[in-house]
Amino acid sequence: MSSPSVAGRVPVTFSQPEVAELLSKMTFAEKVGQLWQVNVGEGYIPEDVAHGIRTGHIGSILNLVDVALVNELQRIAREESRLGIPLLVARDVIHGFRTVMPIPFAQAASWNPDVVESGGRIAAAEAAACGVNWTFAPMLDVARDPRWGRIAESLGEDPWLAAHLGAAMVRGFQGDDLRAPGSIAACAKHFAGYGTAESGRDYATTNVPENEMRNVYLRPFQAAAEAGVASFMTSFSDIDGVPATASEFLLRTVLRGEWSYDGVVISDWDSVRQLAIHGLTANDYESAEAAATAGVDIEMQGDAYHQHLAALVEKGRVDADWIDAAAGRVLALKFRLGLFDDPYTDPEEVLPPAPDTAFAVARQAAVESVVLLKNDQDVLPLQPKALTSLAVIGPLANAPREQLGTWIFDGDAALSVTPLAALTEALGDQVTVNFEPALATSRSRDTAGFDAAVAAAAAADAVILFLGEEAILSGEAHSRADIDLPGAQPQLVEAIASIGKPVVAVIMAGRPLTLTNVVDHLDAVLFAGHLGTMAGPALADLLLGNATPRGKLPATLPRMVGQVPIYYAQKNTGKPPSPHSAVLIDDIDANAEQLSTGMTAYHLDAGYRPLYPFGYGLSYTTFAYENIAVDQHDIGPDDSVTLSADVINTGHREGTETVQLYVRDLVGSVTRPVRELRGYRHCTLAPGERQRVSFTLTREALGFYGRGNQFGVEAGDFHAWIGGDSDASLHTWFRLLD
Ligand code: GLC
């Protein structure tokens, strides 16, 4: 970095006098110590860590969950350091701790903030019982590329849904009071735009125009800030040439400036020093300056701050006031957590939730996270009384660890109830359950087990085929360029389908998969994500009709990976495709004229439609929508708009429908998506029951960042749809007046 930095030109504000009072006693080195988080790892206390805590050079630790060792490090901090400043103790508690909830991507399919919040409560309580007081969740990166392994941790492709569910996850982890036993600080990550990594390859470059960043990728983070999230984490990624960890636009202009956020900002793992690897800086000294100038408070794991902040302040390249501000924010968080009163965790006092309570929450979350994609001839739910033999096929039917999904450092696979175990238990001696893995793993290409699987299918009245991905195939650094079912699974589907028995597929995966090559061979398909500890009982409930599927896709399922990125809230383009304008490759005449296929935005070999759209999900009953209305078509400057419609259960079973509202702003100072989710509601209806569902939108809810990247509401015409997915057809219109 050539010119002197401007770091520190932020107001030094502390809402708590005790923070200012403590800062006044601290040496510069002790203040810098609060800005260093060190990984401890498992099972023992490295002497250099103990020494760093004792001397006030380390203010927080990561990845220690042995409560006795955590208490010992808190004791060293409290009793052996000069000022007795306690430690922040962080862990990635992403979707559960010992009891594992569905991966966030699956939880998002519930569209239920209560599911997300209650899962967060259980996770926080179990983690707090081990001395953890800070989790690095929720992950709020809008994910529109299923090749990207971290879509598994995301809340899907839509900013509005991710904002609502992300705020619920913050509430779940933090509760109403960070001092309360069982509450832990949350962390909105990875700020920001990480999900647009080129080609879905994790850590790859992102280029996000400011208008898109503001209208899409920042929205869930703003919602988390408004929900009181205690911290933010910068992403690894390079954004338009500036890595997030050095982005003054993200951290100063937006987070501190526009949002007036005063919580802690932590880097991602060693992402400060990685600025030199990116090529933004030449060395750790410059990396420390760049991160401090942008406003990263705590450096995770790397020691650039520890090594160089003193010299940077000495040379006037980092402002000493900023050091006070950053250390003050860290101290403020420790006060908010009550750590100065009592940093210790008494395992007798801070008890994890009762297993039955945790399992009940995990089971309900899993039930609500499953999406029914297909159910030909109502083959589901299975009727046990009509069965004598059931074939359960596929390695994921009995894989206690795989069903937990990615990012479960502390998940206890011994607690997992697998689908095989749950089905066997539920069917008892009424039905013979024959299990054949057919493949060693989801990636295996060894088909030696197919014969036994085919024989089991032939002998059965019905087949449940468990397909998908092991946990390792999604998550951080686990991106895939081909998102078909891996290994020989497609061949297994064909072999089993050829038997002619009813075949139900359960897809367990950490991402949307391209199922086009198998879906026609299957009579029914449940998309389950990775459902966690209680995957088995939840799937048995759904397969046997003790529960009815209600999940809705939180992201689009493409026909082909070449369509990616494909998402419902696309722009119209100047040449939008339509059924008659998109002539598909097999329908093109020989020697076709160049202009004969319809000059519009589609792929000759895939069209322009996904296999299943965002918001899609079937039930064991059916729903219809009628009588959409708007309370007034002309919406004045001080008015809101209320849109309503009837939803009717037109089937024979009770079911819960997630009624969705989409709007389109027809003309804007920047082009606007063809649809945007602006509301959803769960309706549980008995057969034949009709409910009127209403949504009231303020003008603010229709606002966006326009041509000058300023937020505003622009007058003009809107279309609105109410229905069961982003393809809803029942529509009306309204007009915003100036
Ligand atoms: C990782 C992840 C981040 C996580 C952190 C600590 O590399 O990017 O999500 O919280 O390191 O484990």
Side-chain angles (χ1 to χ4, degrees), residues 205-441:
T205 303
T206 69
N207 287 292
V208 188
E210 182 178 340
N211 190 258
E212 182 84 350
M213 180 65 87
R214 289 180 176 280
N215 281 321
V216 177
Y217 298 98
L218 291 182
R219 287 200 182 220
F221 288 97
Q222 185 168 7
E226 290 164 0
V229 72
S231 60
F232 269 63
M233 182 190 294
T234 60
S235 88
F236 285 122
S237 37
D238 176 0
I239 307 164
D240 307 348
V242 179
T245 303
S247 172
E248 293 178 61
F249 167 70
L250 286 177
L251 301 180
R252 286 185 179 281
T253 304
V254 174
L255 189 63
R256 301 291 186 206
E258 294 173 13
W259 299 352
S260 302
Y261 182 71
D262 65 357
V264 170
V265 173
I266 186 169
S267 76
D268 202 336
W269 184 284
D270 208 18
S271 66
V272 172
R273 292 192 307 177
Q274 286 168 15
L275 296 175
I277 301 173
H278 276 286
L280 187 83
T281 62
N283 51 47
D284 287 356
Y285 177 86
E286 291 186 4
S287 295
E289 179 185 13
T293 302
V296 173
D297 295 323
I298 295 178
E299 180 180 9
M300 182 196 299
Q301 183 52 12
D303 65 352
Y305 276 13
H306 174 68
Q307 297 291 349
H308 300 294
L309 278 181
L312 285 163
V313 168
E314 182 67 31
K315 291 187 171 50
R317 302 179 73 90
V318 171
D319 191 316
D321 282 352
W322 180 80
I323 301 290
D324 278 8
R329 286 186 284 267
V330 177
L331 296 174
L333 178 53
K334 294 181 177 182
F335 277 110
R336 283 181 63 198
L337 283 162
L339 297 178
F340 284 92
D341 297 333
D342 178 6
Y344 304 110
T345 302
D346 176 354
E348 299 305 313
E349 185 190 299
V350 182
L351 297 173
D356 288 352
T357 304
F359 294 159
V361 169
R363 182 170 183 163
Q364 184 59 28
V367 165
E368 296 197 31
S369 299
V370 175
V371 182
L372 178 61
L373 296 179
K374 179 179 182 182
N375 192 20
D376 287 356
Q377 284 81 45
D378 291 340
V379 68
L380 284 177
L382 298 175
Q383 307 297 330
K385 292 185 172 56
L387 296 175
T388 55
S389 166
L390 179 69
V392 173
I393 296 171
L396 294 172
N398 197 35
R401 167 70 188 71
E402 302 310 335
Q403 70 187 49
L404 302 181
T406 187
W407 276 114
I408 49 101
F409 286 165
D410 305 294
D412 184 350
L415 300 176
S416 293
V417 182
T418 67
L420 176 63
L423 285 165
T424 304
E425 160 86 16
L427 293 170
D429 51 9
Q430 292 172 24
V431 180
T432 303
V433 176
N434 287 322
F435 169 56
E436 287 297 341
L439 292 161
T441 70

Side-chain angles (χ1 to χ4, degrees), residues 556-607:
T556 302
L557 260 59
R559 290 180 185 283
M560 300 169 75
V561 70
Q563 293 182 291
V564 171
I566 181 171
Y567 48 95
Y568 85 93
Q570 302 242 22
K571 298 296 186 73
N572 202 34
T573 76
K575 300 166 81 72
S578 65
H580 61 268
S581 78
V583 180
L584 294 178
I585 195 163
D586 293 338
D587 302 330
I588 297 173
D589 300 333
N591 308 313
E593 289 301 318
Q594 177 177 332
L595 306 185
S596 65
T597 58
M599 313 300 277
T600 59
Y602 79 106
H603 292 101
L604 291 174
D605 49 1

Side-chain angles (χ1 to χ4, degrees), residues 102-187:
I103 55 174
F105 182 68
Q107 289 186 47
S110 74
W111 290 51
N112 190 342
D114 294 340
V115 157
V116 170
E117 183 170 345
S118 54
R121 284 277 72 197
I122 297 293
E126 291 187 348
C130 291
V132 172
N133 54 42
W134 188 13
T135 179
F136 293 144
M139 189 271 216
L140 298 175
D141 299 297
V142 171
R144 294 176 164 176
D145 190 330
R147 296 169 294 183
W148 189 46
R150 304 199 78 162
I151 193 170
E153 303 168 65
S154 81
L155 294 167
E157 74 177 50
D158 182 75
W160 182 278
L161 182 62
H164 279 74
L165 298 181
M169 205 174 269
V170 169
R171 294 193 298 270
F173 288 128
Q174 298 189 166
D176 299 329
D177 178 0
L178 280 180
R179 304 169 72 93
S183 287
I184 59 179
C187 182

